[in-house]
Amino acid sequence: MIYSDNAINILTVKTYRGIGRAWIVKNLKGNESVDTIVFLLNRDAKKNLPVTVEDFKSKRESIEREILKLEGFIDGVVAIGDENFPPYRGKVKNSEQPIVVFYRGDISLLKLTNKNIAVIGLLNPDQDTEIIEQEVVAELVKNGATIVSGLALGCDSIAHRQTLRLNGKTVAILPSPLNNILPAQNRELADEIVSNNGLLITEYYVNAKSEMELRGRYQQRDRLQVLFSNSIILSASYAKNDRGNDSGSRLAMEYALNYSIPRAVIYDPVTDVNNPKYDLNRHLIKEDKGIMIINRNNLVSSIKKIMSNKPDIKNNQQYQLGLFNSM
């Protein structure tokens, strides 16, 4: 297992009240001394009692013991400031930037020179949706894409399995720690992804303490799929409505819009026009005149255009960018 003192320090900082991603991104560049970190925490932490070096080191040791329990389930931990911490795509505010990633497999699949494309969708696609999604993924893999998805049932699984079938590379982003793969039905698929030189990542090393916390983690998983992809493609999904239908796909497509990550939807205006499983696709087409629409009539040309998109990188990532590209 590979991790740095910096990664454990970042994890420790996160345990203090009032300290989140935004504070860490603003105040820490990585590899600060414990004394410096404690000074900054005492300056800003929302706590009556002062933080001491001894207190910080005690918390740090406790976290490191928890990380070591993951031996055999993870290959490493990287945090902001580490040499191989993956740069995100798009324009993202500090509070939504990734700061720690736990991984198993080939972490270099997240580097900027890799053409990562997210393919997502609903949990219960029909056969026609599965077939067209397989065709889209096949064209992406043929053009050198690494397929990113969330290891969920349905469209996510189709994207991962089709990539593996074609000997491509795929990245699964999880809402759970890597010693508790969710959904459990896809644990063999997760192993297969790693065995075929792919990658599993998560922001978590312990299980969620409640259903509410787990729901929040699924939303953060949707955010991370976007941040590590040059473009995102929606296979099919219900739109949010008063019948209780909604999906993580809707959130992921919103994240992409907010981050200026290019978006595309699979949609045939003839065959899919009355299919409710394409409600979100229709809604996005109506809402965003610039969104790319993929179907069998334009499959080859649309995928080539998607693959030509260059990732948008903020200037403050240049430090990480240079280091990461040296791998």
Side-chain angles (χ1 to χ4, degrees):
M1 184 193 308
I2 301 170
Y3 63 86
S4 65
D5 288 343
N6 174 65
I8 305 300
N9 284 342
I10 297 292
L11 287 167
T12 306
V13 168
K14 285 182 65 182
T15 66
Y16 286 90
R17 184 183 175 191
I19 302 299
R21 293 194 198 99
W23 187 93
I24 292 171
V25 171
K26 180 180 178 181
N27 292 282
L28 301 179
K29 301 304 178 189
N31 298 301
E32 287 84 359
S33 69
V34 169
D35 287 345
T36 297
I37 294 172
V38 168
F39 167 78
L40 294 170
L41 286 172
N42 279 317
R43 187 190 66 186
D44 296 339
K46 295 177 180 177
K47 190 175 182 181
N48 292 327
L49 296 173
V51 178
T52 65
V53 170
E54 289 72 24
D55 170 68
F56 186 90
K57 287 183 175 177
S58 176
K59 284 177 176 282
R60 190 186 184 288
E61 289 171 2
S62 176
I63 289 172
E64 189 167 14
R65 285 195 293 272
E66 291 298 316
I67 301 300
L68 290 172
K69 292 178 183 176
L70 297 174
E71 181 74 47
F73 295 99
I74 70 173
D75 291 334
V77 188
V78 287
I80 184 171
D82 282 338
E83 185 172 350
N84 59 346
F85 186 68
Y88 58 84
R89 282 74 165 166
K91 299 173 182 175
V92 187
K93 56 186 178 182
N94 289 353
S95 61
E96 297 185 12
Q97 293 180 24
I99 56 171
V100 178
V101 168
F102 299 82
Y103 68 93
R104 181 179 159 211
D106 184 1
I107 188 69
S108 74
L109 291 179
L110 298 182
K111 65 183 181 180
L112 293 171
T113 52
N114 225 48
K115 297 178 179 179
N116 292 354
I117 307 295
V119 179
I120 61 169
L122 44 59
L123 301 177
N124 58 340
D126 53 39
Q127 187 175 25
D128 290 340
T129 298
E130 178 171 353
I131 292 171
I132 183 63
E133 181 180 330
Q134 287 175 335
E135 292 174 10
V136 169
V137 170
E139 193 66 22
L140 286 166
V141 172
K142 177 183 173 183
N143 282 272
T146 293
I147 305 301
V148 176
S149 200
L151 200 70
L153 303 178
C155 289
D156 287 17
S157 296
I158 293 168
H160 291 305
R161 292 187 193 284
Q162 177 70 342
T163 305
L164 293 171
R165 196 174 294 123
L166 298 168
N167 297 316
K169 302 289 179 61
T170 185
V171 177
I173 300 180
L174 308 178
S176 59
L178 293 175
N179 62 342
N180 181 26
I181 301 289
L182 294 179
Q185 300 96 310
N186 273 349
R187 287 176 182 172
E188 286 187 9
L189 175 58
D191 289 338
E192 191 178 353
I193 288 171
V194 174
S195 298
N196 286 274
N197 303 312
L199 174 68
L200 309 178
I201 66 166
T202 180
E203 293 182 300
Y204 309 103
Y205 65 99
V206 294
N207 290 316
K209 295 176 181 175
S210 66
E211 284 297 319
M212 180 179 292
E213 182 180 355
L214 183 58
R215 285 197 295 272
R217 289 186 178 190
Y218 273 106
Q219 293 181 12
Q220 296 307 310
R221 184 278 308 273
D222 297 333
R223 152 189 148 270
L224 217 58
Q225 287 179 130
V226 175
L227 288 176
F228 290 133
S229 298
N230 296 1
S231 300
I232 184 167
I233 299 174
L234 173 64
S235 178
S237 180
Y238 297 104
K240 187 177 183 180
N241 58 37
D242 55 9
R243 298 191 300 275
N245 288 331
D246 197 8
S247 70
S249 297
R250 181 185 65 80
L251 292 173
M253 297 303 278
E254 284 189 3
Y255 280 125
L257 178 64
N258 294 336
Y259 300 158
S260 299
I261 302 288
R263 306 186 301 171
V265 297
I266 298 175
Y267 187 71
D268 188 313
V270 176
T271 59
D272 301 330
V273 64
N274 293 317
N275 189 339
K277 294 182 178 180
Y278 285 86
D279 279 350
L280 180 60
N281 306 53
R282 279 189 291 275
H283 174 78
L284 293 172
I285 291 169
K286 183 178 179 181
E287 175 188 76
D288 181 1
K289 301 301 180 188
I291 201 167
M292 179 173 289
I293 304 170
I294 305 170
N295 52 54
R296 289 191 176 89
N297 294 325
N298 68 2
L299 180 59
V300 173
S301 61
S302 60
I303 296 303
K304 283 185 177 176
K305 188 171 182 180
I306 287 170
M307 295 300 293
S308 70
N309 290 330
K310 303 293 184 186
D312 186 4
I313 306 301
K314 281 187 67 177
N315 290 334
N316 64 6
Q317 283 199 117
Q318 291 304 309
Y319 172 71
Q320 294 179 28
L321 173 62
L323 290 170
F324 203 86
N325 281 346
S326 67
M327 290 179 62

